[in-house]
């Protein structure tokens, strides 16, 4: 008996919210119009302004997450919701729901596991100059440490396959969750794409929850922790080199004196320099060992990821399916 092919995968729209009553109703209705068959979930993160009520009136499934922070909300959403394709966006109205269909189409036709909606004009509407500068610096830092896969690691508008969502071990608690998603994709060398989209302005009465220095510090700390976990050899080698330079700085005058006079009059300095040199060697050795451990962990994550199903272009109507040889749109956009 011939098997019936489904024409449309199950799509879930995930909207993490904190005090977005002024915008969430319009956002939910926008996604309902753009993706009529999608299930829309609003996860309310302890809002005090009626966000949950507005989302319910607009027709969304509302769940409350009590632990404060976007990372906690995303972890809960990814664990709770079952779908073939996931779309995540902010509830502040800065991302156009009408672009969701293009994100889904790109995910399927590119056979990608994550499509990032890069923000056109984000630097002009980052709210404060500190946010715009931070966006540029952190994106540059990301490309230096983890590779050139992404040009906008802080975009909150993304589409995911099921196997990305169910293999993503989210550990961060705040706005650094987008960085963790990007590193997860780079670490496992997952197929990803980027799609440049317009970035809107917040309406009157809606305010950014970001703090330039507090959240910037958290993101910088997350960069360091993710580098330690995913690239331990580079991480510990850098610290080892720093200790070695300090050791050589203390050691050099002692050696100069010894070769001139045959005496070591600054014995404490010599002992300190040798201790620092030993610490440098130990850190380097730790980096070599942990690099093997990190590679084994990445292999296990990759095996788990490969064991999960993902929607393919075969689930699209024949008129929408694209050939597998189509070049990556993400690379074209990045260029």
């Amino acid at each position: 008996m011939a098997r019936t092919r489904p024409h449309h995968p199950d799509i879930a729209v995930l909207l993490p919210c904190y005090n977005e009553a002024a915008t969430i109703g319009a956002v939910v209705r926008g996604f309902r119009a753009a993706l009529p068959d999608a299930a829309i979930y609003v996860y309310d993160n302890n809002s005090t302004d009626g966000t949950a009520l507005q989302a319910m009136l607009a027709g969304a499934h509302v769940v409350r997450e009590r632990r404060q922070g976007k990372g906690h909300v995303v972890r809960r959403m990814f664990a709770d919701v079952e779908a073939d394709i996931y779309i995540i966006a902010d509830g502040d109205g800065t991302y156009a729901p009408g672009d969701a269909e293009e994100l889904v189409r790109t995910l399927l036709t590119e056979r990608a596991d994550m499509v990032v909606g890069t923000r056109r004009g984000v630097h002009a509407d980052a709210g404060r100059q500190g946010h715009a500068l931070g966006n540029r610096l952190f994106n540059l830092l990301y490309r230096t440490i983890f590779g050139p896969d992404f040009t906008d690691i802080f975009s909150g508008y993304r589409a995911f396959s099921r196997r990305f969502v169910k293999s993503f071990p989210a550990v961060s608690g705040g706005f650094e969750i987008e960085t963790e998603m990007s590193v997860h994709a780079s670490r496992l060398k997952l197929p990803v794409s980027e799609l440049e989209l317009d970035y809107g302005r917040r309406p009157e009465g809606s305010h950014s929850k970001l703090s330039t220095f507090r959240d910037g510090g958290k993101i910088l700390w997350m960069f360091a922790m993710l580098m330690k976990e995913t690239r331990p050899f580079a991480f510990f080698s850098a610290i080892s080199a720093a200790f070695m330079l300090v050791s050589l700085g203390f050691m050099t005058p002692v050696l100069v004196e010894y070769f001139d006079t045959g005496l070591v009059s600054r014995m404490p300095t010599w002992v300190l320099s040798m201790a620092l040199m030993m610490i440098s060697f130990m850190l380097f050795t730790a980096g070599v060992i942990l690099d093997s451990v990190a590679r084994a962990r990445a292999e296990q994550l990759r095996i788990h990821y490969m064991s999960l199903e993902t929607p393919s272009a075969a689930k699209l109507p024949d008129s929408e399916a694209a050939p597998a040889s189509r070049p990556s749109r993400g690379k074209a956009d990045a260029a």
Side-chain angles (χ1 to χ4, degrees), residues 43 45 65-77 171-174 177:
Y43 275 66
N45 198 201
E65 170 54 50
R66 294 182 180 275
R67 286 176 296 182
Q68 196 68 42
K70 186 175 181 178
H72 295 304
V73 178
V74 171
R75 180 164 51 250
R76 175 81 178 275
M77 290 190 300
V171 297
S172 57
I177 188 69

Side-chain angles (χ1 to χ4, degrees), residues 80-91:
D80 289 353
V81 179
E82 297 293 333
D84 295 319
I85 294 175
Y86 299 77
I87 296 175
I88 189 169
D90 294 337

Side-chain angles (χ1 to χ4, degrees), residues 39-305:
I40 301 177
Y41 298 86
V42 171
Y43 275 66
D44 179 39
N45 198 201
N46 301 314
S47 298
T48 58
D49 65 348
T51 295
L53 177 60
Q54 294 299 322
M56 291 177 65
L57 292 175
H61 304 284
V62 178
V63 181
R64 185 176 183 185
E65 170 54 50
R66 294 182 180 275
R67 286 176 296 182
Q68 196 68 42
K70 186 175 181 178
H72 295 304
V73 178
V74 171
R75 180 164 51 250
R76 175 81 178 275
M77 290 190 300
F78 282 4
D80 289 353
V81 179
E82 297 293 333
D84 295 319
I85 294 175
Y86 299 77
I87 296 175
I88 189 169
D90 294 337
D92 57 11
T94 53
Y95 299 109
D99 293 327
E101 185 178 4
E102 185 62 24
L103 285 172
V104 172
R105 184 179 294 109
T106 302
L107 186 81
L108 291 171
T109 58
E110 299 287 349
R111 300 179 184 271
D113 284 304
M114 179 169 67
V115 178
V116 181
T118 59
R119 298 168 292 177
R120 185 187 296 118
V122 63
H123 300 308
D125 190 45
R128 282 174 282 184
Q129 289 301 314
H131 290 178
L133 178 61
N135 268 303
R136 294 189 181 95
L137 291 179
F138 281 123
N139 278 292
L140 176 61
L141 183 61
Y142 181 93
R143 290 192 292 273
T144 301
I145 297 175
F146 300 107
D149 291 334
F150 301 100
T151 59
D152 186 5
I153 61 170
F154 297 128
S155 173
Y157 203 6
R158 303 179 184 223
F160 307 95
S161 69
R162 174 181 172 80
R163 62 182 180 180
F164 181 100
V165 167
K166 298 304 180 182
S167 68
F168 175 54
V171 297
S172 57
F175 283 100
E176 61 272 21
I177 188 69
E178 283 95 355
T179 303
E180 191 180 355
M181 292 175 182
S182 301
V183 171
H184 177 68
S186 297
R187 180 185 190 185
L188 298 188
K189 298 179 175 60
L190 306 184
V192 297
S193 185
E194 290 187 330
L195 189 65
E196 189 175 33
L197 303 174
D198 289 328
Y199 183 65
R201 295 179 179 273
R202 284 176 170 268
E204 292 294 330
S206 178
H207 304 285
S208 174
K209 315 302 186 303
L210 285 172
S211 170
T212 300
F213 296 105
R214 184 186 70 245
D215 290 307
K218 289 181 179 179
I219 293 169
L220 190 61
W221 178 255
M222 176 59 69
F223 267 66
M225 292 300 99
L226 289 172
M227 185 180 180
K228 177 179 72 70
E229 294 296 325
T230 62
R231 300 191 60 199
F233 181 75
F235 181 83
F236 285 100
S237 292
I239 301 176
S240 172
F243 272 90
M244 182 171 287
L245 288 174
V246 175
S247 172
L248 293 173
F250 283 114
M251 185 185 298
T252 299
V254 177
L255 290 175
V256 170
E257 180 188 25
Y258 174 76
F259 288 122
D260 286 344
T261 65
L263 301 174
V264 178
S265 61
R266 301 167 62 182
M267 184 58 69
T269 302
W270 176 253
V271 172
L272 175 62
S273 66
M274 292 305 297
L276 292 172
M277 184 65 70
M278 292 301 297
I279 293 174
S280 173
F281 289 153
M282 292 171 63
L283 287 169
F284 182 81
T285 303
V288 172
I289 296 172
L290 291 175
D291 186 66
S292 297
V293 175
R295 287 176 181 271
R297 291 178 60 190
E299 289 172 1
Q300 290 299 316
L301 280 172
R302 179 80 184 182
I303 290 171
H304 175 62
Y305 152 81

